[in-house]
Amino acid sequence: MDRTDVEFLSGSQRCAAWLYRPDGGPETVPLVVLGHGLGLNREAGLDKYARRFVAAGMAAMIFDYRHFGASEGEPRQLLDIKKQREDWHAAISYARDLPGIDPHRIALWGSSFGGGHVLTVAHQDPTVAAVVAQCPFTDGIASAIALGPVSATKVTLLALADTVGSFLGRPPIKAALAGRPGQAALMAADDVVPGYGRLARESPLYQPDVAARIGLHVVTDAPGRAASDLTMPVFFAVCDKDTVAPAEATVKAASRLPNAVVKRYPVGHFDIYYDDAYETAVADQTQFLVDALHP
């Protein structure tokens, strides 16, 4: 298979992406757009998913959100929910215009925070053919409860200070992405630092913190409710031991969808990216996409 560097515009800024095409096969193929979770970029563990999908006869594209990775956007590490979803729509539009890609068979694959994005984006664009949401963020309140009161309070104080500073034109005040229980981090649990760290080490462009203002917006976001009227096939990969995106919130969201496929794995939020859990999940996801995107 072939992987090339490509780029597309989202607003006035450039998003960097990798485009994968299968060797040989039909003249026109479906394509899976992949995006990552909270604060991560395309280098952190997503290449192996794209290659498995391409080996099954699909094309794939992994992109970096604006302000992250190899994409443009200042200040760096600005996590804006609305802008990231605009990036998804821009990626879909770009993919649909690619030669050799069937514009009617575009699927979305998102993990963690990106898993929430794909549910909302598919709600906004019902022509999306299929969705895979891996360990998805579906309910901000559930995730805030999982974060714990001490960490949540510390993050909120940082977020308030950063928001005020942004109105005054000051540089962002940062909040850590990963921490131990009780620390001022957007994700704080016993398995977060080693699990998230394993992913982050794969990316030379990774930075460990983001503008803290996102802490005021995550709690009010609920992609699971926004996705209640999706009609395309949706695959939910649920981690039963998830300390970041609680499993029951995701299962509840999936129960509202008529074409949902739910697979539950006895692992934590970060375990699904590696080893036996990854092999099982990616095989399930690949079969789902092959079935959903069949001509």
Side-chain angles (χ1 to χ4, degrees), residues 182-268:
Q183 292 182 331
L186 293 168
M187 297 176 289
D190 290 331
D191 65 331
V192 166
V193 172
Y196 192 83
R198 186 177 181 184
L199 277 172
R201 283 192 295 273
E202 297 185 25
S203 170
L205 296 177
Y206 167 75
Q207 296 182 41
D209 46 26
V210 294
R213 67 196 72 168
I214 186 60
L216 298 180
H217 303 287
V218 170
V219 70
T220 60
D221 194 37
R225 289 200 297 272
S228 60
D229 62 350
L230 296 182
T231 57
M232 73 285 290
V234 182
F235 182 98
F236 290 88
V238 181
C239 298
D240 282 334
K241 299 178 182 178
D242 203 317
T243 61
V244 175
E248 292 312 313
T250 300
V251 172
K252 182 178 179 180
S255 69
R256 305 188 186 105
L257 277 62
N259 292 317
V261 175
V262 179
K263 294 285 188 177
R264 303 185 69 158
Y265 306 95
V267 297

Side-chain angles (χ1 to χ4, degrees), residues 162-179:
D162 183 41
T163 300
V164 172
S166 70
F167 289 126
L168 299 175
R170 295 173 181 169
I173 294 171
K174 300 290 186 65
L177 286 160

Side-chain angles (χ1 to χ4, degrees), residues 4-90:
T4 56
D5 287 293
V6 297
E7 60 184 48
F8 57 88
L9 285 179
S10 183
S12 61
Q13 294 163 321
R14 179 187 62 86
C15 284
W18 287 328
L19 176 64
Y20 303 72
R21 292 183 182 273
D23 295 327
E27 292 185 1
T28 303
V29 296
L31 182 142
V32 185
V33 181
L34 296 90
H36 223 316
L38 196 72
L40 289 172
N41 57 63
R42 59 182 173 166
E43 297 175 331
L46 296 194
D47 176 85
K48 60 189 178 184
Y49 288 91
R51 291 185 181 277
R52 290 290 284 268
F53 302 151
V54 174
M58 298 167 273
M61 186 176 76
I62 313 173
F63 72 96
D64 281 343
Y65 301 110
R66 284 175 288 176
H67 305 277
F68 290 89
S71 291
E72 294 178 340
E74 294 292 339
R76 303 306 293 169
Q77 301 300 108
L78 176 63
L79 204 168
D80 184 300
I81 293 173
K82 181 180 178 182
K83 290 183 72 172
Q84 290 199 344
R85 289 173 184 165
E86 290 172 354
D87 296 344
W88 276 99
H89 286 293

Side-chain angles (χ1 to χ4, degrees), residues 92 96 103-106 121-130 232:
I92 294 167
R96 284 185 170 138
H104 305 293
R105 291 189 289 156
I106 302 294
V121 170
H123 167 77
Q124 296 165 344
D125 182 357
T127 63
V128 167
M232 73 285 290

